[in-house]
């Protein structure tokens, strides 16, 4: 007898207190943003620059919905240790592999919190004279902004709480969760 395929919703990780965005909701929003990218870059080739590690799932999923020609590159930065507060200190751990002069660069970020990381990255990229430079961020935390930055494509605005999942970590864990949620206090508060 043929086996009928069923989609079993993945059980929520026991360390997650609340799911803020389901995987389906994230994917639907990525399709919408991809349609905007297709429209805005209709006659240009876009260079997607993913900010590692947080943007790795986002890059992979978004890229499959975009249809205009594109190239990829990645940067890796560190702005957080395992704490849940931004330090304001940004270190480039891995730089781009290509010259972006004359390219249409779209920087793909997981989350803009205070804006300090992005502000630093944009200054570094702008100095390399790309033909255009825009930002896509899956999440923004409008309550937290310390450096106002124009994010052209925003997935979702979230409250000023620490979130994990869909690329976002706590101490390098939870990046693989297909949804975004908050952690139980017991996970980061050691008794
Ligand atoms: P910002 O410099 O804008 O304050 O912070 C940007 C970086 O901090 C993000 O790329 C991300 O790595 C980290 N970050 C900010 N808010 C959160 C959050 O709620 N959860 C996680 N996991 N990382 C965050």
């Amino acid at each position: 007898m043929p086996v009928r395929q069923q989609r079993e919703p993945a059980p929520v990780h026991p360390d997650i207190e609340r799911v803020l965005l389901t995987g389906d909701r994230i994917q639907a929003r990525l399709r919408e943003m991809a349609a905007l990218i297709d429209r805005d870059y209709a006659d240009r080739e876009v260079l997607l620059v993913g900010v590692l590690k947080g943007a790795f799932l986002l890059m992979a999923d978004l890229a499959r919905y975009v249809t205009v020609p594109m190239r990829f590159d990645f940067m890796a930065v560190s702005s957080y240790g395992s704490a849940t507060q931004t330090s304001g200190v940004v270190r480039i751990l891995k730089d781009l592999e290509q010259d972006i002069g004359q390219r249409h660069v779209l920087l793909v970020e997981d989350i803009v919190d205070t804006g300090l990381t992005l502000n630093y990255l944009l200054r570094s990229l702008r100095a390399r004279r790309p033909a255009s430079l825009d930002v896509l961020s899956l999440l923004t935390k409008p309550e937290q902004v310390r450096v106002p930055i124009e994010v052209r494509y925003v997935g979702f605005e979230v409250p000023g709480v620490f979130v994990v999942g869909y690329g976002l970590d706590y101490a390098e864990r939870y990046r693989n969760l297909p949804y975004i949620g908050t952690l139980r206090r017991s996970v980061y508060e050691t008794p």
Side-chain angles (χ1 to χ4, degrees), residues 79-80 86 109-111 113-117 141 162-163 169:
S79 55
Y80 270 90
T86 193
E109 264 277 21
D110 50 0
I111 185 163
D113 184 352
T114 60
L116 290 167
T117 307
K141 288 184 184 170
F162 191 78
V163 294
D169 74 311

Side-chain angles (χ1 to χ4, degrees), residues 79-186:
S79 55
Y80 270 90
S82 54
T84 55
Q85 291 292 308
T86 193
S87 63
V89 178
V90 181
R91 255 189 329 141
I92 293 189
L93 305 174
K94 180 208 172 297
D95 208 338
L96 295 176
E97 288 173 8
Q98 52 198 285
D99 182 8
I100 58 166
Q102 306 308 313
R103 296 223 170 274
H104 295 282
V105 176
L106 181 57
L107 192 65
V108 179
E109 264 277 21
D110 50 0
I111 185 163
V112 181
D113 184 352
T114 60
L116 290 167
T117 307
L118 192 55
N119 187 47
Y120 179 90
L121 278 177
L122 286 175
R123 261 191 289 146
S124 165
L125 295 178
R126 222 173 267 129
R128 307 177 199 191
R129 310 226 166 276
S132 66
L133 178 58
D134 283 290
V135 179
L136 179 150
S137 185
L138 180 64
L139 306 178
T140 60
K141 288 184 184 170
E143 300 164 17
Q144 303 277 105
V145 173
R146 277 160 59 185
V147 191
I149 288 166
E150 201 188 310
V151 180
R152 183 162 188 185
Y153 309 98
V154 176
F156 303 95
E157 293 186 350
V158 291
V161 291
F162 191 78
V163 294
V164 296
Y166 200 71
L168 290 155
D169 74 311
Y170 173 67
E172 291 303 326
R173 297 173 66 208
Y174 313 109
R175 290 193 197 276
N176 58 315
L177 300 180
Y179 48 83
I180 288 172
T182 55
L183 276 179
R184 292 188 194 285
R185 288 182 90 86
S186 55

Side-chain angles (χ1 to χ4, degrees), residues 7-133:
R7 270 180 33 141
E8 188 75 11
V12 173
H13 192 292
D15 291 351
I16 296 297
E17 186 173 61
R18 199 156 65 93
V19 173
L20 295 183
L21 296 165
T22 63
D24 283 350
R25 206 158 157 220
I26 294 169
Q27 295 301 320
R29 185 71 185 120
L30 293 190
R31 284 196 194 92
E32 287 173 4
M33 289 199 288
L36 296 177
I37 293 169
D38 279 345
R39 181 198 69 191
D40 296 344
Y41 293 87
D43 46 4
R44 296 178 287 170
E45 184 185 69
V46 61
L47 173 66
L48 286 193
V49 172
V51 184
L52 295 173
K53 299 173 200 163
F56 82 111
L57 289 186
L58 171 60
M59 281 284 272
D61 286 343
L62 179 73
R64 278 178 275 196
Y65 300 131
V66 175
T67 63
V68 292
M70 64 170 92
R71 298 183 186 215
F72 298 90
D73 210 333
F74 293 91
M75 292 180 86
V77 296
S78 80
S79 55
Y80 270 90
S82 54
T84 55
Q85 291 292 308
T86 193
S87 63
V89 178
V90 181
R91 255 189 329 141
I92 293 189
L93 305 174
K94 180 208 172 297
D95 208 338
L96 295 176
E97 288 173 8
Q98 52 198 285
D99 182 8
I100 58 166
Q102 306 308 313
R103 296 223 170 274
H104 295 282
V105 176
L106 181 57
L107 192 65
V108 179
E109 264 277 21
D110 50 0
I111 185 163
V112 181
D113 184 352
T114 60
L116 290 167
T117 307
L118 192 55
N119 187 47
Y120 179 90
L121 278 177
L122 286 175
R123 261 191 289 146
S124 165
L125 295 178
R126 222 173 267 129
R128 307 177 199 191
R129 310 226 166 276
S132 66
L133 178 58

